[in-house]
Amino acid sequence: MLQNIRDNIQGTMAKIIIAMMLVPFALYGIDFFFTGDSQPTVATVNGKKLTEPELQRAIALQRRQLMSMMGDAIDPGMLDERILRKPALDALVKQQVLIQDAERLGLQVSRGQLNRTIASMPAFQEDGRFSQARFEQVLRAQGFDAALFRELLGTEMLIEQLSAGISGSSFLTPLQKQRVVALGDQKRSYHYIRIPVEGFLDKVSIDQSAIEAYYAANPQRFLTDEEVKLSYIELREAQFYEPVDETVLRDEYEREVAAAQALAERQAAHILIEIGDQRSREEAEAAIADLKRQLGAGADFAELAKKHSEDIGSAEQGGDLGFTAGDTFPDDFERALARLEVGGVSDVVETDAGLHLVKLLDIRAPQVASFEQQRQIIEQRVQSQRARPKFVSAVEQLRDLVFNAPDLTSPAAELGVDAQQIDWAARSDSSGLLAFPAVKQAAFDAELRESGHNSEVFELAPDHYAVIRIEGYRPPATKPLDQVRDLI
């Protein structure tokens, strides 16, 4: 058809017809160039047009808020657009008025502020740290994409700045100012004297009969501690230690070194470019390729991360993600990180979050002391491992032996250990075995004392057990007056 028109455009009349057709097309093109693809206008606020799509988005947000608040109990009629349209439009107009006022005052929300606010939101955190994956998951569940959420949050923060500026402002009258200054500058002066009690002691005399009367009236104040005499058996794991061959110790040390190397942690940084509704895969690939080119030309990785990375939690830190032991990030991310030398940057890595450039900042491996420094520790560990079964068996045997034994001598002989003695320990004594509350309680237990039985076997520590027997008891007694005369 176009070829037919071109072939038949001949003569003046044909050219006039073509000119008449071109005029409206040209005018429409000019109008479109200046006005764009126009949308129906629902309101105008100080010259700013609010469009139907913006209103529909506000209605959708109101609908989502109602459903979130009321859940299944909501009346479906409340979600009707005819009901929500007017309050949504009112809210949109009010918001626009506040935005315009904030912009007039020069208020703004920086990208850094926005990132820090999002990163601090508990809903987007895992184990107390911002999670990009959780951020995207929560937004998807609420029907948002990252760009829309950031836009809405930025608007809300801008309005909050304006509100806080107004509500936080105040004024002070000259009289109030004068009173505040007067109260703040006032002073007090005072004098004082100190009267020491020592100057009056020589003026006091105590009659000996008063001392005796006080002693007689308060005998409970002057009691001796109750005391016990004990026999006991202790079992310690170290009693079963045996020498360890040197080759065994060196083999254990080599295993420690290998284990430490396996626990090395890598400090990662990255730049994230997201793929979503606001950016196609092709656009994301072009953006990450450009960043890779800038890095190759000598650009600073941290500065590029601050400007371009869309990982809210790490962008302000120059992309720094902290240390990983190999299980913190997605597998492809971890594999790329493991292949890098310190300071190296990977090729483009793709995960569910988007496209990444990964940089290895540092490697942190546990420091292993020399064999000579570790020898004693390793030897004790090997001895403990070998002695443990014998020790546990001896403890069980001790429990069986002391259950009905009339004393501790025969159980000690059976186990090949000594039964030891504690001569007259007071309840206030907290040394040796009496430092353990369970042992002290048993040592002064009237029922155990009167029954004449051995105590249970106490676990004082995983490698320390003991059993006691009460051999003698002295009840509290009133101290002689001569011992307490000066105290009275």
Side-chain angles (χ1 to χ4, degrees):
M1 179 180 177
L2 292 175
Q3 184 62 44
N4 186 42
I5 292 173
R6 185 164 52 247
D7 294 341
N8 290 282
I9 297 179
Q10 303 293 335
T12 304
M13 183 56 68
K15 293 179 181 179
I16 292 173
I17 293 172
I18 294 297
M20 292 174 64
M21 292 173 61
L22 288 175
V23 170
F25 277 109
L27 291 176
Y28 175 79
I30 293 170
D31 179 67
F32 182 82
F33 179 80
F34 285 106
T35 63
D37 185 12
S38 61
Q39 298 285 356
T41 301
V42 294
T44 302
V45 181
N46 296 326
K48 167 68 176 177
K49 293 182 179 180
L50 302 179
T51 65
E52 181 66 27
E54 290 176 299
L55 178 57
Q56 289 299 320
R57 189 171 71 183
I59 292 172
L61 286 173
Q62 281 209 356
R63 189 176 287 128
R64 192 175 294 126
Q65 289 172 351
L66 288 171
M67 293 173 66
S68 175
M69 288 188 296
M70 304 185 67
D72 295 338
I74 191 168
D75 180 356
M78 295 176 62
L79 304 178
D80 192 296
E81 181 177 333
R82 290 171 297 181
I83 295 176
L84 296 177
R85 188 175 180 87
K86 185 178 186 308
L89 181 58
D90 290 344
L92 206 58
V93 170
K94 177 181 177 182
Q95 182 189 66
Q96 185 56 225
V97 169
L98 294 172
I99 291 172
Q100 291 179 9
D101 207 23
E103 291 174 346
R104 179 181 59 80
L105 294 171
L107 304 180
Q108 58 181 316
V109 176
S110 69
R111 178 179 176 179
Q113 283 179 289
L114 195 59
N115 286 348
R116 286 191 293 272
T117 300
I118 295 175
S120 67
M121 291 181 172
F124 304 141
Q125 294 182 350
E126 289 181 353
D127 299 326
R129 186 183 178 115
F130 175 80
S131 166
Q132 183 72 22
R134 181 162 180 79
F135 172 66
E136 294 167 359
Q137 176 187 357
V138 172
L139 292 190
R140 280 196 302 269
Q142 296 296 322
F144 291 106
D145 62 26
L148 176 58
F149 179 76
R150 290 170 65 88
E151 178 188 341
L152 294 175
L153 181 61
T155 298
E156 185 66 26
M157 290 175 63
L158 185 65
I159 293 173
E160 283 182 6
Q161 277 193 46
L162 178 64
S163 300
I166 295 172
S167 62
S169 64
S170 62
F171 63 90
L172 193 68
T173 67
L175 179 59
Q176 288 174 309
K177 177 181 174 182
Q178 181 181 350
R179 287 178 176 173
V180 168
V181 172
L183 288 172
D185 289 345
Q186 66 180 344
K187 297 179 180 179
R188 295 286 187 273
S189 63
Y190 60 93
H191 300 278
Y192 69 94
I193 59 173
R194 178 177 293 163
I195 305 174
V197 70
E198 289 79 5
F200 299 89
L201 292 179
D202 57 357
K203 299 178 182 178
V204 177
S205 62
I206 303 296
D207 187 86
Q208 291 303 311
S209 61
I211 294 175
E212 293 170 0
Y214 187 88
Y215 174 77
N218 300 279
Q220 72 282 357
R221 291 177 176 264
F222 311 110
L223 296 178
T224 61
D225 273 350
E226 55 182 329
E227 296 178 310
V228 289
K229 188 175 184 178
L230 304 174
S231 60
Y232 66 94
I233 296 174
E234 274 187 298
L235 285 182
R236 294 179 181 271
E237 188 181 81
Q239 294 170 241
F240 298 86
Y241 283 2
E242 295 177 353
V244 181
D245 188 82
E246 189 75 8
T247 58
V248 174
L249 298 180
R250 289 196 174 274
D251 288 344
E252 281 293 314
Y253 177 74
E254 293 302 324
R255 276 193 284 272
E256 279 191 5
V257 172
Q261 291 173 348
L263 292 175
E265 295 180 317
R266 288 173 167 78
Q267 185 180 8
H270 78 146
I271 299 173
L272 170 66
I273 299 298
E274 296 175 340
I275 302 172
D277 296 340
Q278 304 299 316
R279 183 188 291 111
S280 68
R281 170 176 289 277
E282 291 74 17
E283 291 171 332
E285 289 174 346
I288 202 93
D290 181 59
L291 293 173
K292 180 74 172 174
R293 181 190 57 75
Q294 291 183 54
L295 289 171
D300 183 69
F301 188 96
E303 289 302 317
L304 289 182
K306 288 179 181 179
K307 292 179 181 177
H308 302 288
S309 180
E310 293 173 334
D311 178 359
I312 297 165
S314 68
E316 287 298 303
Q317 286 73 48
D320 189 352
L321 294 167
F323 284 88
T324 172
D327 55 1
T328 304
F329 308 118
D331 292 343
D332 289 341
F333 191 107
E334 291 284 2
R335 280 193 289 270
L337 184 65
R339 289 193 291 265
L340 295 173
E341 299 291 333
V342 173
V345 178
S346 72
D347 291 328
V348 178
V349 178
E350 182 171 356
T351 69
D352 291 342
L355 304 180
H356 310 256
L357 291 176
V358 182
K359 181 176 182 178
L360 177 60
L361 300 179
D362 192 14
I363 296 179
R364 181 172 65 189
Q367 295 296 316
V368 181
S370 67
F371 174 74
E372 288 71 22
Q373 292 172 311
Q374 289 290 97
R375 188 187 186 286
Q376 185 177 355
I377 297 172
I378 295 173
E379 182 179 26
Q380 185 174 350
R381 184 171 68 244
V382 173
Q383 287 177 322
S384 176
Q385 291 169 350
R386 293 180 175 182
R388 191 69 187 171
K390 298 176 184 178
F391 173 61
V392 172
S393 176
V395 171
E396 292 305 315
Q397 189 179 0
L398 177 64
R399 287 193 173 105
D400 293 338
L401 291 172
V402 302
F403 185 70
N404 284 320
D407 54 34
L408 295 181
T409 305
S410 55
E414 185 100 12
L415 290 169
V417 297
D418 294 327
Q420 303 179 67
Q421 302 290 323
I422 295 178
D423 285 329
W424 301 117
R427 183 183 282 275
S428 59
D429 189 1
S430 293
S431 61
L433 284 181
L434 294 179
F436 298 95
V439 175
K440 179 177 282 190
Q441 182 178 350
F444 292 92
D445 183 79
E447 186 176 345
L448 182 64
R449 182 172 67 245
E450 292 165 3
S451 69
H453 293 156
N454 300 318
S455 74
E456 64 176 296
V457 176
F458 298 106
E459 181 183 359
L460 308 181
D463 61 347
H464 186 193
Y465 287 76
V467 59
I468 65 170
R469 181 180 182 82
I470 303 172
E471 303 290 357
Y473 175 71
R474 290 176 181 169
T478 303
K479 297 176 184 177
L481 175 60
D482 288 343
Q483 287 186 15
V484 296
R485 185 183 301 276
D486 291 341
L487 176 63
I488 296 173

